[in-house]
Amino acid sequence: MRDLLICISGPSGVGKGTLVKALTREDENLVLSVSCTTRPPRKGETNGVEYFFLSREEFERGIEEGDFIEYDEHFGNYYGTLRSYVEGQLALHRSVILEIDVVGSLAVKKKMDNVITVFIAPPSAEALESRLTGRGSESEEQLAMRRARTEYEYAKSKEYDYIVVNDDLGRALGELRALIQKEKTI
Ligand code: 5GP
């Protein structure tokens, strides 16, 4: 059995977070990588849980020191995957989920071994829009940036190993579970 790095991407509001939480809850050898970001915490987010929240200076120092497997700047903020976190988990024979954007996923695929990339797609554009605005945590300007980003992400989804449609949470979860199991034994 191989330990995997599972990159999960998809447009904002598609339900990636819910799927990932469910997957990691049921398998103690599957963990979510905690990324670093310079965006401020949303209501209810805690440093070290959803992200490590860094200042721009701290993040840029991390870039110089090679702390990130990959990083990207979008929505005006840096986001990056911590090398120490991922390598520490792999050393414990755990598979690691990276909930990162399309640029990051494709960069990780090039740099690391045993990587699979999974794109979570909404059942329809309307479903995505209502989930995105229903979250209520973003300004109109931020929502507009996220919508523009969605177009770009769709174009890149062709380069992913798997596309899972989140039409029904239980069904999508089953599909993800099965593909991870299969990939572990390859
Ligand atoms: P949010 O601000 O909604 O938490 O995340 C915005 C975007 O940043 C999402 O597409 C998310 O997948 C991506 N993201 C989160 N962490 C990382 C990371 O470490 N690296 C990259 N490249 N993207 C990330």
Side-chain angles (χ1 to χ4, degrees):
M1 292 272 262
R2 57 183 188 144
D3 300 312
L4 301 171
L5 275 182
I6 306 155
C7 295
I8 298 194
S9 311
S12 290
V14 77
K16 285 169 294 191
T18 311
L19 286 167
V20 167
K21 267 195 205 109
L23 280 175
T24 53
R25 208 180 299 129
E26 65 190 25
D27 181 354
E28 60 183 18
N29 289 316
L30 184 60
V31 293
L32 174 64
S33 158
V34 181
S35 293
C36 293
T37 184
T38 58
R39 86 150 160 73
R42 294 196 190 111
K43 225 184 243 154
E45 287 183 336
T46 311
N47 190 38
V49 179
E50 288 80 11
Y51 287 102
F52 295 106
F53 295 98
L54 305 184
S55 66
R56 281 190 87 80
E57 294 70 40
E58 287 168 326
F59 201 105
E60 284 168 357
R61 201 175 320 128
I63 295 172
E64 271 168 35
E65 292 176 0
D67 291 352
F68 302 112
I69 294 176
E70 62 73 41
Y71 70 93
D72 191 23
E73 193 175 11
H74 44 95
F75 311 132
N77 288 301
Y78 285 122
Y79 292 81
T81 304
L82 270 181
R83 184 179 302 282
S84 56
Y85 194 96
V86 170
E87 290 181 350
Q89 295 297 330
L90 289 175
L92 295 170
H93 290 295
R94 293 191 178 127
S95 290
V96 185
I97 296 181
L98 309 180
E99 195 192 321
I100 64 179
D101 75 329
V102 290
V103 177
S105 294
L106 299 172
V108 171
K109 179 101 189 169
K110 273 200 194 124
K111 275 193 199 162
M112 308 282 288
D113 295 326
N114 299 320
V115 177
I116 61 167
T117 55
V118 183
F119 190 86
I120 310 292
S124 69
E126 294 76 33
L128 180 65
E129 180 63 24
S130 74
R131 277 190 238 179
L132 190 57
T133 47
R135 190 154 69 180
S137 57
E138 266 105 359
S139 68
E140 265 313 310
E141 192 191 345
Q142 283 168 325
L143 286 175
M145 280 201 289
R146 283 176 189 271
R147 284 186 196 107
R149 178 94 191 163
T150 299
E151 295 286 315
Y152 174 74
E153 286 174 340
Y154 269 125
K156 284 278 181 190
S157 67
K158 291 196 281 300
E159 295 172 47
Y160 275 65
D161 298 324
Y162 297 93
I163 298 183
V164 173
V165 177
N166 190 14
D167 46 1
D168 172 87
L169 191 65
R171 197 210 57 78
L173 194 56
E175 190 179 339
L176 274 169
R177 212 182 271 135
L179 75 85
I180 291 170
Q181 248 351 87
K182 185 191 84 186
E183 285 284 348
K184 277 189 175 177
T185 57
I186 289 177

